[in-house]
Amino acid sequence: PRSTPANSSAASDVYKRQGARPVGMGGAYTAIATDINALYYNPAGIVRSRQYQIGATHTEWLEGIKYDFAGWIIPTGKGAIGISAIYLTTGKIEGRDEQGNKSKDFYSRDFAITLSHAREINSKTQVGGSIKIIRQTIADEDANGFAVDMGVKLKVKSEKLKLGMAVRNLGPKMKFIEEKYSLPLSMTAGMSYNLTGILNLAMDITYEPIEKKKVLCIGTEIMPAGFITLRAGYLFQAIQSIYNLDEVKITQQRGLGGGIRIKVFSYNLDYAIIPYDELGTTQRVSFEVKF
């Protein structure tokens, strides 16, 4: 095949939008992450968990792509440990031979399992890291590899303002048959501010060096009652000239999204939706329990 699950635009993009809560906030989650979604966005955030957490997400993506995530956070005396797994499938793909004639249909799948650890350096600083084992399959061919994620979270003066930084998918190129390709490496800086105790404001800026692009995410969530949370977020792709820092162009907008959480005791049910104009609508459902 001339393309792989890792460098397919649709499959690559779904990897960057994990969890219904973060997606409902437009992906602005690096500084906020303390729940099961921290296993993806910023592993440093899992150290703030004082309870066991189990969670799962199902995503209905564009072009028939489906994505599933499951994770478990275990608090320990020296921080926290996390285990997670992802599974992505593009569904049935129509096969074509070299002449363009129809041949046998095939499937494309990705699977990864991740082990994470985080700990507090002091009362204002948390650090964390993850190592993931990756397997990607197209028809009867497959590729195997690994990658590392790293993250840090900082409190600034008060509990209200938080900063976060994360590097994801740092690792060697994978090889599919004779073709080598890079994983979707990203570097993110984020901040969040809690206003009046019921309103969170957040922003992330991500640079993706392989694709040479910048992404700006802005999100908010409000908790009008203890059992319900409402969210809205916007995701931009921004491309900025390295040599002309005054000129920033928004070249593509990627969706005003929203979401909702219903909380019953220690159970959370989250839903998020993002319309992509004529391409269709993506939806996510997440479930989480703490005990």
Side-chain angles (χ1 to χ4, degrees):
R2 299 189 61 84
S3 63
T4 69
N7 59 24
S8 162
S9 60
S12 177
D13 202 43
V14 71
Y15 274 123
K16 305 167 191 173
R17 313 287 171 247
Q18 160 61 37
R21 183 187 180 194
V23 168
M25 298 182 68
Y29 208 68
T30 304
I32 290 180
T34 57
D35 59 6
I36 205 74
N37 296 300
L39 292 170
Y40 171 81
Y41 283 88
N42 188 346
I46 68 173
V47 77
R48 300 300 295 171
S49 175
R50 305 306 181 192
Q51 297 175 285
Y52 291 91
Q53 296 185 42
I54 296 176
T57 298
H58 175 69
T59 302
E60 293 288 336
W61 194 249
L62 304 172
E63 302 177 15
I65 294 174
K66 299 182 188 297
Y67 175 89
D68 293 288
F69 166 89
W72 184 18
I73 298 175
I74 307 165
T76 70
K78 295 184 178 180
I81 295 172
I83 303 170
S84 61
I86 64 168
Y87 178 76
L88 178 146
T89 178
T90 59
K92 186 182 293 185
I93 300 173
E94 184 180 274
R96 295 283 176 176
D97 61 22
E98 295 180 355
Q99 288 73 42
N101 300 316
K102 191 176 185 310
S103 61
K104 181 181 178 181
D105 294 339
F106 62 96
Y107 293 85
S108 173
R109 302 180 180 92
D110 287 10
F111 175 78
I113 187 166
T114 301
L115 178 64
S116 306
H117 176 64
R119 62 187 309 165
E120 288 185 325
I121 301 301
N122 53 50
S123 61
K124 295 184 179 295
T125 307
Q126 299 97 45
V127 297
S130 303
I131 183 166
K132 63 182 75 172
I133 306 300
I134 305 166
R135 183 180 180 87
Q136 301 180 328
T137 303
I138 298 180
D140 297 325
E141 304 291 342
D142 58 62
N144 299 283
F146 72 94
V148 172
D149 297 346
M150 298 177 289
V152 61
K153 288 188 67 176
L154 304 169
K155 299 176 187 175
V156 182
K157 293 185 178 180
S158 71
E159 290 280 346
K160 291 187 175 182
L161 178 62
K162 298 177 182 178
L163 304 178
M165 291 168 281
V167 177
R168 296 192 292 269
N169 295 316
L170 181 64
K173 289 185 176 182
M174 294 180 64
K175 185 177 181 180
F176 194 88
I177 310 178
E178 297 300 324
E179 179 184 357
K180 289 187 176 181
Y181 57 92
S182 299
L183 294 170
L185 175 65
S186 67
M187 295 171 281
T188 303
M191 63 180 296
S192 67
Y193 188 80
N194 182 266
L195 187 65
T196 71
I198 63 169
L199 177 65
N200 282 324
L201 306 175
M203 181 178 70
D204 276 12
I205 299 176
T206 298
Y207 176 57
E208 299 174 8
I210 304 300
E211 299 181 23
K212 296 182 179 179
K213 70 179 182 183
K214 294 181 176 71
V215 178
L216 172 65
C217 305
I218 300 172
T220 183
E221 65 178 0
I222 186 169
M223 293 150 276
F227 67 93
I228 191 169
T229 303
L230 304 175
R231 305 186 182 101
Y234 213 96
L235 174 66
F236 300 94
Q237 177 179 313
I239 297 182
Q240 181 179 21
S241 170
I242 296 176
Y243 302 105
N244 187 355
L245 300 180
D246 296 326
E247 189 174 319
V248 180
K249 297 180 180 180
I250 302 299
T251 59
Q252 181 180 7
Q253 61 183 36
R254 288 200 174 184
L256 173 64
I260 186 172
R261 162 174 286 183
I262 304 296
K263 179 179 176 65
V264 180
F265 301 113
S266 58
Y267 300 89
N268 296 323
L269 180 64
D270 291 275
Y271 172 77
I273 184 170
I274 296 181
Y276 281 73
D277 298 326
E278 69 277 2
L279 295 178
T281 299
T282 67
Q283 301 181 74
R284 286 170 182 76
V285 177
S286 296
F287 176 79
E288 181 184 48
V289 60
K290 301 178 181 181
F291 57 95

